Amino acid sequence: MKTFLVLSDSHGRRGVLDGILPLIAENDYIVHLGDGSTDMKGVFSEFPQKTYLCRGNCDFAYGEEELVIQAEGRRIFCCHGHRYGVKSGISRLVARAKQLDCDIALYGHTHRAAAEEIEGVLCINPGAAGAYAEGSYCYLVLYNGKATHTFVPIRK
């Protein structure tokens, strides 16, 4: 079993992240999907082996443009989503995930939590961790080939 704490769009609001910092040590993977990747510098310094950072359209130097994580027999495509036009639909995101032989795609950018399976790709957006209406993150568990996700509200 592998556990993931998936965040996106914190936009410099590090105080919002303070409430979930205790969870970081408990999870196997920490993924920030961009637009505030520098908010995670301290986490990356403390847990470099399990922290993955993507660069969003508001990030200029910190994080990867996209990356693939392999865990529990699954391949997970991670990106911010802006380069795939996710505000207008996720078909381009799904195509890229399939091109990389991934069956899960994690993305942000829309500031809305969402999950749906399209063409065999489970697409998950954790919502926005910043000071937006209904802030959230995603807790993702991979076990015996199954992926289970839960959206968790962030208390402000």
Side-chain angles (χ1 to χ4, degrees):
M1 180 173 80
K2 296 294 180 189
T3 58
F4 292 73
L5 180 67
V6 185
L7 305 156
S8 190
D9 296 280
S10 53
H11 288 282
R13 292 163 179 97
R14 291 185 189 119
V16 174
L17 300 176
D18 289 344
I20 61 173
L21 289 178
L23 300 174
I24 289 172
E26 297 176 5
N27 284 276
D28 297 307
Y29 296 88
I30 310 305
V31 181
H32 191 291
L33 298 168
D35 279 2
S37 60
T38 56
D39 301 342
M40 301 296 286
K41 277 187 176 183
V43 172
F44 184 77
S45 293
E46 188 169 348
F47 302 104
Q49 72 284 359
K50 67 178 186 177
T51 303
Y52 296 85
L53 305 173
C54 291
R55 187 170 53 246
N57 59 298
C58 295
D59 299 315
F60 301 104
Y62 202 67
E64 302 295 325
E65 194 64 47
E66 56 186 44
L67 50 92
V68 174
I69 301 170
Q70 296 186 83
E72 291 289 308
R74 307 293 296 262
R75 287 179 53 86
I76 304 165
F77 171 56
C78 304
C79 69
H80 184 60
H82 63 295
R83 294 186 181 267
Y84 298 100
V86 297
K87 286 187 177 181
S88 300
I90 58 174
S91 60
R92 290 173 50 208
L93 176 82
V94 170
R96 178 64 173 151
K98 290 175 75 171
Q99 180 183 38
L100 296 171
D101 198 27
C102 295
D103 56 356
I104 298 173
L106 303 178
Y107 69 102
H109 191 55
T110 67
H111 297 184
R112 290 186 308 273
E116 64 181 301
E117 187 166 330
I118 299 174
E119 297 178 31
V121 178
L122 175 60
C123 302
I124 300 173
N125 184 323
Y132 300 98
E134 302 192 30
S136 62
Y137 66 89
C138 180
Y139 179 66
L140 175 65
V141 178
L142 302 182
Y143 181 67
N144 281 342
K146 282 187 65 178
T148 305
H149 68 278
T150 303
F151 296 116
V152 182
I154 294 177
R155 307 282 185 246
K156 296 178 175 115

